[in-house]
Amino acid sequence: MDRQERVAAFVDEQGWKTDLAYRVLDLQSEVGEIADEVTTTTDYGASPAEARVAVDEVGDALFALLAVAESAGVDADEALDTAIAKYERRIAETGDGGSGE
């Protein structure tokens, strides 16, 4: 069972089905918790080398992202492959993976 299927099965077993909008808001909250942790551990960016992120917080964000993908009908593996191909194309074309914006 892949990770997205595992999250979908867990959500179903727990009766946690909800709409896409809620899933996106939950993802934003979980990523915000990671940002808060980095903000705290770096003294608001004054000591970037001190940045720390707890494994459970990353896990919460991954769970939330996979739940978003499932709710949106997006295959997470396919989406990741598409993103990597996009970055590789940008690097080949411009020497930089950024969007240039």
Side-chain angles (χ1 to χ4, degrees):
M1 178 183 296
D2 78 1
R3 304 253 189 264
Q4 185 172 348
E5 289 172 345
R6 186 174 171 198
V7 167
F10 185 82
V11 165
D12 191 47
E13 290 167 9
Q14 300 305 313
W16 289 357
K17 292 236 182 217
T18 191
D19 60 27
L20 177 59
Y22 176 81
R23 290 282 174 223
V24 171
L25 293 171
D26 185 51
L27 174 61
Q28 180 181 14
S29 174
E30 295 300 345
V31 172
E33 289 180 25
I34 292 172
D36 287 345
E37 190 170 359
V38 170
T39 298
T40 300
T41 60
T42 64
D43 191 25
Y44 291 85
S47 303
E50 299 300 315
R52 300 288 177 268
V53 176
V55 68
D56 66 314
E57 294 298 344
V58 173
D60 289 347
L62 284 171
F63 182 96
L65 181 57
L66 291 171
V68 165
E70 186 67 20
S71 290
V74 172
D75 180 289
D77 285 330
E78 183 180 325
L80 180 59
D81 290 344
T82 299
I84 290 171
K86 173 179 63 179
Y87 295 129
E88 289 173 336
R89 186 177 56 253
R90 285 180 186 166
I91 291 167
E93 292 171 357
T94 68
D96 189 320
S99 64
E101 296 176 6

